[in-house]
Amino acid sequence: MIPLFKVKKAGVYGSIQDRGRGGYQRFGVPVSGPMDLKSYQLGQYILGNKQNSPSLELFLGGQELEVLSDHRIVLTGADLGAVVEGIPIPVWKSIRIYRGQVLRFTKA
């Protein structure tokens, strides 16, 4: 797997999430998964990913990520004021990002 981002600024909260793991609660393992399941599922659909593909889940913004490889991404859920090289990024639309660019989330 090729790394996609280098974290330049961690922001308030960010994690990598998949759909979660049901069926293990009897062993003390919580289901977990994304806070906003609908946005997670729609993002996977827009990109044509498998249903359980990992996603970066951000809460309250403030993150800065350096793009390490050309890729296609989609931002779903709340608008955290994402910009690439100062240009606003639309929510709910896939975009191309390119190596060397910096993706910033400017608001909560």
Side-chain angles (χ1 to χ4, degrees):
M1 180 184 290
I2 298 171
L4 178 57
F5 296 117
K6 175 182 178 182
V7 177
K8 295 181 65 119
K9 184 177 174 188
V12 176
Y13 175 81
S15 65
I16 298 172
Q17 294 292 332
D18 61 14
R19 190 178 166 102
R21 293 178 174 69
Y24 296 98
Q25 293 89 338
R26 67 182 181 273
F27 302 115
V29 178
V31 174
S32 299
M35 288 186 281
D36 182 349
L37 182 60
K38 184 175 181 178
S39 292
Y40 167 83
Q41 291 171 322
L42 288 170
Q44 300 300 352
Y45 175 78
I46 291 167
L47 291 174
N49 287 346
K50 295 178 182 176
Q51 279 189 325
N52 202 33
S53 295
S55 290
L56 183 59
E57 184 171 69
L58 306 177
F59 182 70
L60 296 180
Q63 293 82 1
E64 288 186 16
L65 308 171
E66 179 183 346
V67 179
L68 299 178
S69 60
D70 298 356
H71 209 71
R72 191 168 62 105
I73 64 169
V74 64
L75 305 176
T76 62
D79 182 359
L80 296 179
V83 296
V84 171
E85 303 302 317
I87 300 169
I89 301 303
V91 181
W92 302 103
K93 181 178 179 183
S94 70
I95 63 157
R96 296 285 307 169
I97 54 174
Y98 301 95
R99 182 184 174 137
Q101 291 181 318
V102 176
L103 174 61
R104 291 182 177 89
F105 295 87
T106 63
K107 63 182 182 179

